[in-house]
Amino acid sequence: MGKVYLTGAGPGDIELLTLKALRVVKEADVIIYDRLANPEILKMAKDGCSFVYVGKEDGKHIIPQDEINEIIYQNALKHNTVVRLKGGDPFVFGRGGEEGAYLYERNIQFEIIPGITSAISAPAYAGIPVTHRGVAVSFRVVTGHESPNKETSQIPWENFKTDDTIIFLMGLHNLDKITKKLMEVGKPANYPCAVISKGTTKDQQVVIGTLEDIVQKADGIPTPALIVVGQVVKLREQLNWFNS
Ligand code: SAH
């Protein structure tokens, strides 16, 4: 029986792959990868390594998660070194925990290799620090997949009145509802907001606006994209190093 490495591929810029991830990619007999993992990484695998694509679009799985779990497990029965390569960090909305638990129940050895999450690095490449002295003392990474109008929402919207930075992943299709909800709980209409598309890659696009106008400004921007809400967005005026 083999060992599975639940591995973060980083946000897009290939140089943001960790040395540990690179080592296991080079050793892998099979790499099971996502849509968000930079395909350039696969070129670094050894000859004879096989590749299994289990991609998903925007949180909508093409292959259901339980099937992905089983695919990983079946590969671990056949191969020595199985790399499960996932965009960003495997435990930040990456369902790496579910995959690890599935392997644990079947006595398959695994390791977690954290990755640089898009939640922090895409803002960084956009010149937006997620915390900043005197501006934001904390940041939250929140799923944007859930409709804010859901009766049973687990998201503590009422807590979002402060100036702490809020980063929504998987939220582009709900941008309208998210911004409206934030205004509803008391954030001003002119509150700073950014949408970052394809962060850390050469195709990165950054749209800066307010809760009121970001929907219109970000219209048509491609995925993957994340939303940053907070006063830290203004710091881009001084810190925009990547697109300049
Ligand atoms: N595990 C990943 C997140 C998976 S959820 C991580 O740690 O980054 C997928 C969501 O991540 C997308 O809907 C998008 O909101 C965000 N995302 C991933 N890569 C991105 C990128 N390069 N630029 C902007 N957002 C990105």
Side-chain angles (χ1 to χ4, degrees), residues 123-212:
Y125 272 50
I128 302 169
V130 293
T131 69
H132 193 78
R133 203 175 152 82
V135 179
V137 292
S138 79
F139 64 89
R140 278 177 188 264
V141 182
V142 180
T143 175
H145 190 50
E146 180 184 281
S147 170
N149 302 327
K150 202 173 139 195
E151 302 257 313
T152 54
S153 177
Q154 287 179 290
I155 299 171
W157 294 99
E158 288 296 325
N159 295 348
F160 291 174
K161 288 175 200 155
T162 64
D163 277 328
D164 303 302
T165 307
I166 319 166
I167 299 138
F168 292 95
L169 300 190
M170 307 177 288
L172 193 62
H173 65 291
N174 276 330
L175 182 60
D176 187 36
K177 289 180 188 153
I178 290 169
T179 49
K180 283 203 179 102
K181 184 77 184 181
L182 290 171
M183 289 189 278
E184 218 175 279
V185 299
K187 278 186 139 37
N190 66 352
Y191 200 79
C193 185
V195 171
I196 306 166
S197 162
K198 302 193 178 188
T200 81
T201 74
K202 62 173 175 32
D203 300 320
Q204 171 171 297
Q205 284 182 54
V206 182
V207 177
I208 303 292
T210 63
L211 288 177
E212 200 174 34

Side-chain angles (χ1 to χ4, degrees), residues 23-24 38 51-52 65 68 129 149 181 189 209 219:
R23 174 172 65 77
V24 297
N38 182 339
F51 302 101
V52 180
Q65 185 62 43
I68 295 176
N149 302 327
K181 184 77 184 181
D219 187 39

